[in-house]
C-alpha cells in the first residue's frame, strides 16, 4: 500500500494506491467499520481488483494496470437519506464532465449510473451509503473507467475504452486527477444546495432521453421514451399506452 498527497480532490488529502484488492469499496467499508481515521475526499486506487462490483452485485471486470478502478470516501451529512440519489446525479455529471472533454457531444449518463460513449459502456459507478439516523454519514463511491484496455472478454458486449475510441494511451494518475477535480466541483455544488441545477444537467446528459427506444419490461420488449427521473432515482418512461415508473431491476435497455 502506498500513500501519497493528492491534489485532485480536496487539496492535501490522501491518495492510497493498492497493488491488488478484492474491491476498493470493500476496502473502504472495512476501514470505516474499524473507525480508521480517513478524511473527507480520501481516494483508494487499485492497480488490480479481483472482485470489483457494479450495480446490483454485478461484477466489474477490468484488465490490471490499464484502467481506473478506485473509490472515494465522502461524508455528505448534509444530504437526507430520502434525497441520496442527488449524490448519484452529481457524481455521474462529474464523470461525464471529464469524458465530454475527450469526446464532445458523444458522452452520456445511462440511468442509473453507467457512462456511455455513443452507444457503448465505458464506465460506471457504485455508491454505497452508510446511514446514521436520517442522514448519510459516509458515502463510498466506487468508480470504474475503461481507459487503455483494447480487448475485452467475449462475454462483455457493447463496451469500449478511451483508447479504443481515440487510439492513444492515457496517463492514469493524470486522468484520476481530472476526475477528482470534477467530482470536487460537483460535490461543492451539491453542498451549496444547487439541486435543481444538478438535476437539470443530469437530465440533459441522460442517454436516450426524449427518444423512442426499445426496452424490456413486463416480460417483453416494448417501445418507450425516457422523460425524467423521480426524486428517489426511479426512471420515468412514457410508453405507447401510459407513463410508467421503474426501479433498477424492473426494466432493461435493449441496444
Amino acid at each position: 500500500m502506498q500513500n501519497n498527497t493528492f491534489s485532485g480532490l480536496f487539496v492535501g488529502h490522501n491518495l492510497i494506491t493498492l497493488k491488488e484488492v478484492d474491491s476498493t469499496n470493500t476496502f473502504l467499508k472495512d476501514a470505516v467499520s474499524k473507525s480508521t481515521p480517513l478524511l473527507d475526499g480520501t481516494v483508494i486506487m487499485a492497480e488490480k481488483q479481483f472482485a470489483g462490483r457494479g450495480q446490483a452485485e454485478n461484477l466489474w471486470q477490468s484488465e490490471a494496470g490499464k484502467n481506473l478502478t478506485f473509490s472515494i470516501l465522502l461524508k455528505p451529512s448534509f444530504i437526507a437519506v430520502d434525497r441520496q440519489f442527488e449524490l448519484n446525479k452529481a457524481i455521474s455529471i462529474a464523470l461525464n464532465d471529464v469524458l465530454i472533454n475527450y469526446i464532445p457531444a458523444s458522452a452520456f449518463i445511462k440511468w442509473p449510473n453507467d457512462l456511455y460513449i455513443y452507444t457503448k459502456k465505458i464506465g460506471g459507478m457504485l455508491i454505497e451509503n452508510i446511514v446514521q439516523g436520517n442522514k448519510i454519514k459516509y458515502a463510498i463511491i466506487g468508480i470504474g473507467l475503461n481507459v487503455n484496455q483494447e480487448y475485452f472478454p467475449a462475454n462483455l458486449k457493447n463496451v469500449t475504452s478511451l483508447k479504443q475510441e481515440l487510439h492513444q494511451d492515457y496517463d492514469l494518475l493524470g486522468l484520476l486527477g481530472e476526475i477528482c477535480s470534477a467530482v470536487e466541483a460537483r460535490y461543492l455544488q451539491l453542498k451549496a444546495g444547487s439541486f435543481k441545477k444538478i438535476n437539470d444537467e443530469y437530465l440533459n446528459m441522460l442517454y436516450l432521453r426524449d427518444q423512442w427506444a426499445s426496452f424490456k419490461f413486463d416480460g417483453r420488449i416494448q417501445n418507450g421514451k425516457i422523460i425524467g427521473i423521480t426524486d428517489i432515482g426511479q426512471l420515468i418512461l412514457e410508453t405507447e399506452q401510459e407513463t410508467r415508473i421503474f426501479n433498477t431491476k424492473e426494466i432493461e435497455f435493449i441496444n
Side-chain angles (χ1 to χ4, degrees):
M1 183 171 70
Q2 181 180 358
N3 287 55
N4 298 289
T5 299
F6 188 57
S7 60
L9 176 67
F10 309 128
V11 176
H13 288 200
N14 279 343
L15 164 67
I16 300 171
T17 56
L18 308 171
K19 281 288 184 184
E20 183 174 291
V21 70
D22 53 353
S23 158
T24 54
N25 265 31
T26 300
F27 182 92
L28 266 180
K29 280 167 62 177
D30 289 346
V32 166
S33 70
K34 295 171 184 173
S35 299
T36 304
L38 294 172
L39 295 173
D40 198 11
T42 294
V43 179
I44 307 290
M45 185 176 82
E47 292 182 19
K48 180 181 180 181
Q49 270 193 145
F50 54 84
R53 289 176 295 124
Q55 183 72 18
E57 301 306 317
N58 294 324
L59 286 178
W60 178 265
Q61 300 181 46
S62 179
E63 187 177 344
K66 293 290 185 73
N67 304 309
L68 284 175
T69 52
F70 65 100
S71 294
I72 303 172
L73 178 70
L74 297 177
K75 301 178 182 180
S77 57
F78 57 92
I79 300 177
V81 171
D82 62 356
R83 298 297 299 271
Q84 58 188 287
F85 197 74
E86 302 295 342
L87 184 61
N88 185 301
K89 288 188 282 191
I91 304 300
S92 296
I93 294 168
L95 295 169
N96 213 55
D97 287 339
V98 174
L99 290 175
I100 286 171
N101 288 334
Y102 291 88
I103 308 178
S106 300
F108 303 99
I109 300 164
K110 181 187 171 189
W111 175 85
N113 48 18
D114 282 341
L115 304 170
Y116 263 44
I117 296 297
Y118 303 107
T119 61
K120 294 182 177 181
K121 181 174 178 177
I122 194 169
M125 68 178 190
L126 173 67
I127 298 180
E128 298 182 274
N129 293 316
I130 298 169
V131 174
Q132 187 173 62
N134 67 340
K135 301 291 185 182
I136 301 172
K137 185 176 182 181
Y138 299 109
I140 298 171
I141 301 157
I143 296 169
L145 185 68
N146 298 330
V147 182
N148 295 323
Q149 187 166 339
E150 293 183 85
Y151 306 103
F152 294 89
N155 65 305
L156 291 182
K157 307 295 183 184
N158 204 46
V159 295
T160 191
S161 66
L162 280 177
K163 184 166 186 178
Q164 274 197 351
E165 297 297 328
L166 299 174
H167 312 294
Q168 64 183 80
D169 285 307
Y170 294 89
D171 175 67
L172 294 180
L173 276 179
L175 188 57
L176 178 63
E178 291 176 40
I179 291 171
C180 288
S181 293
V183 167
E184 179 181 27
R186 294 298 186 173
Y187 184 61
L188 292 177
Q189 269 188 345
L190 197 63
K191 200 168 186 177
S194 301
F195 295 110
K196 185 180 186 306
K197 177 179 173 59
I198 286 170
N199 183 68
D200 290 347
E201 292 196 51
Y202 181 87
L203 292 177
N204 286 337
M205 296 176 179
L206 204 54
Y207 179 64
L208 293 181
R209 183 188 174 215
D210 290 334
Q211 300 176 43
W212 287 98
S214 295
F215 301 87
K216 185 176 181 180
F217 55 93
D218 298 340
R220 60 193 177 92
I221 295 175
Q222 305 180 57
N223 289 329
K225 180 169 64 174
I226 296 170
I227 59 174
I229 304 291
T230 69
D231 288 343
I232 61 172
Q234 298 161 304
L235 187 72
I236 306 173
L237 190 78
E238 179 183 331
T239 73
E240 293 170 343
Q241 293 80 31
E242 59 185 338
T243 298
R244 297 273 302 272
I245 292 176
F246 293 93
N247 293 311
T248 306
K249 282 298 183 180
E250 296 173 345
I251 186 168
E252 179 183 346
F253 287 65
I254 305 298
N255 293 310

